Amino acid sequence: MGELLRLRGVKKTYASSEQVQVQALRGIDLRVLEGEYLAIMGPSGSGKSTLMHIIGCLDVSTAGTYEIDGVNTAEMNEKALAKIRNQKIGFVFQQFNLLPTLSALRNVEVPLLYAGVPASQRKERARQALERVGLADRAEHRPGQLSGGQQQRVAVARALVTNPSLILADEPTGALDSVSTADLLDLFDELHEAGRTLVVITHEADVAARAQRTVHLYDGLIRSVTTGVAA
């Protein structure tokens, strides 16, 4: 397996006022291999959301380097970062972030629309992605007609549709009941077994336990790394 992500000495400082600076990350060294399933845990204020934003190219570090597929993101302009977000990273969020007026199929098509994929290809690829998550029969349903677990599966299909290098999930089970959580984690297991790279940010130990490795953040630093059931 090759190296997909590499962070070296990554720091992130926010200015909360003219005199006060907050160090959200204080020097993160982390590598993620292709096909790896990694969880990131930490209490509130530990820096895990900041780390997620940097890994997802939604923010840039104050110091250090972050490479994805061997390319240093610090050398990219906003247009290049947007292309990385669209083509190399599939995002899954706690609140699903689906467009309520669109069908499941149309929601899954959205990243392909931004990527300039022709309409005929968009629909076919979106249908395949919905089939992959077991929701082909719900393609024409709007989010409001789906359960929370089904909405999150649509969000996973949307993340998969561009065939990204990385699935990045931020508290993906936070809005789900226990049954839907188990179903989603089973789906993540299947994606991992199929060779997908997954990075899951979570505060739930049972969610992290499904990953191969769990990175524990405290006060902007990696304090420990543990192995899970998938190791």
Side-chain angles (χ1 to χ4, degrees):
M1 290 189 296
E3 188 176 85
L4 179 61
L5 311 178
R6 184 63 180 262
L7 294 86
R8 295 182 178 91
V10 167
K11 298 180 180 181
K12 183 65 181 182
T13 302
Y14 295 101
S16 59
S17 68
E18 288 185 12
Q19 287 79 30
V20 180
Q21 290 190 328
V22 177
Q23 282 191 303
L25 298 176
R26 298 192 289 144
I28 299 294
D29 294 302
L30 179 65
R31 64 197 295 259
V32 180
L33 301 179
E34 294 174 354
E36 189 172 7
Y37 187 171
L38 178 77
I40 298 173
M41 288 192 75
S44 179
S46 63
K48 62 182 186 295
S49 293
T50 301
L51 182 56
M52 186 277 292
H53 282 103
I54 289 173
I55 290 174
C57 295
L58 298 165
D59 200 356
V60 294
S61 61
T62 308
T65 60
Y66 169 44
E67 296 177 358
I68 180 167
D69 273 342
V71 180
N72 187 353
T73 57
E75 298 171 357
M76 297 180 185
N77 59 25
E78 181 51 42
K79 184 177 181 180
L81 288 171
K83 188 174 181 179
I84 288 280
R85 290 192 297 268
N86 180 261
Q87 295 182 4
K88 288 188 176 292
I89 304 171
F91 294 92
V92 180
F93 298 101
Q94 178 175 342
Q95 298 300 331
F96 320 138
N97 288 5
L98 300 176
L99 298 171
T101 60
L102 299 184
S103 67
L105 185 72
R106 294 290 300 279
N107 266 284
V108 176
E109 282 185 56
V110 168
L112 299 176
L113 181 66
Y114 287 125
V117 175
S120 58
Q121 292 182 34
R122 289 201 306 266
K123 183 166 290 190
E124 179 58 28
R125 287 173 63 177
R127 286 193 185 282
Q128 290 174 357
L130 282 173
E131 187 173 343
R132 178 68 188 82
V133 302
L135 281 182
D137 60 336
R138 297 289 190 271
E140 301 306 325
H141 289 60
R142 293 182 181 181
Q145 299 170 307
L146 301 171
S147 69
Q150 289 172 332
Q151 289 184 63
Q152 192 59 298
R153 281 178 172 262
V154 173
V156 173
R158 181 184 58 193
L160 289 171
V161 77
T162 58
N163 195 29
S165 303
L166 170 69
I167 300 294
L168 182 59
D170 183 22
E171 299 283 3
T173 62
L176 302 180
D177 60 31
S178 59
V179 174
S180 296
T181 291
D183 286 345
L184 181 66
L185 294 179
D186 287 346
L187 176 58
F188 280 179
D189 287 346
E190 292 172 16
L191 294 174
H192 171 235
E193 289 166 9
R196 294 280 180 180
T197 308
L198 291 95
V199 173
V200 178
I201 290 82
T202 182
H203 67 277
E204 300 178 63
D206 57 334
V207 173
R210 303 286 281 263
Q212 290 173 292
R213 285 194 302 151
T214 300
V215 169
H216 300 268
L217 286 184
Y218 294 93
D219 297 328
L221 290 168
I222 295 175
R223 293 297 191 193
S224 62
V225 179
T226 56
T227 56
V229 295

